Amino acid sequence: MLNALEVFTTVVVGLMVGVEFSVAFVMNRIFGALPEDSDQLARSHGGRMLGAVMPVWYITSLVLTAVWAVAGWHHDGTGLVVTAGALLILSVIMSVLLLVPINNQGKTWTPENRPEDWKEQMNRWDRYHYVRVAVIIAAFALLVAALV
């Protein structure tokens, strides 16, 4: 049963990492190359869509990691799992304090009501997101290492 939990948790976290990596290094670059207001419209839509899904995914990943740490407390690799959990906690804190406030504003913007500094705000969101992606990649790597 513990093996199934370990694999399931690693897959869930890995898929989350893949989505966030794709947003950072693929989707936002595609959006930025679109003509006129399309970049801002795509980011607003993405903010609404992923803003509804990702909180559940982050919390689920954190809960699964915590359950793994508790269930496997006396097994090798528990320290890696606990550290991965701490990194996932950090990613949630970063999200709530840094990224969500910008995302909540950006998802309501249209070309008619967006602030003049909308690009600067999106660039700030991107910088925070790059750091968060690095944090969750590190958490994922630790979970994978704990499997071996």
Side-chain angles (χ1 to χ4, degrees), residues 34-52:
L34 294 174
E36 301 176 14
D37 294 326
S38 299
D39 177 23
Q40 185 263 304
L41 292 169
R43 282 177 172 264
S44 292
H45 180 67
R48 287 187 300 275
M49 190 177 101
L50 291 174

Side-chain angles (χ1 to χ4, degrees), residues 9-107:
T9 301
T10 304
V11 169
V12 168
V13 173
L15 290 171
M16 181 180 72
V17 167
V19 169
E20 294 291 33
F21 185 90
S22 176
V23 167
F25 298 104
V26 179
M27 299 309 300
N28 284 347
R29 299 197 191 255
I30 291 171
F31 296 162
L34 294 174
E36 301 176 14
D37 294 326
S38 299
D39 177 23
Q40 185 263 304
L41 292 169
R43 282 177 172 264
S44 292
H45 180 67
R48 287 187 300 275
M49 190 177 101
L50 291 174
V53 173
M54 296 315 288
V56 174
W57 210 336
Y58 272 81
I59 298 302
T60 300
S61 296
L62 178 57
V63 168
L64 287 169
T65 302
V67 171
W68 176 359
V70 171
W73 191 250
H74 297 291
H75 292 86
D76 292 339
T78 302
L80 297 172
V81 177
V82 170
T83 305
L87 289 173
L88 291 173
I89 290 170
L90 175 61
S91 74
V92 169
I93 292 169
M94 289 176 64
S95 297
V96 171
L97 295 180
L98 302 173
L99 289 114
V100 169
I102 298 169
N103 191 59
N104 283 345
Q105 291 176 4
K107 68 185 181 183

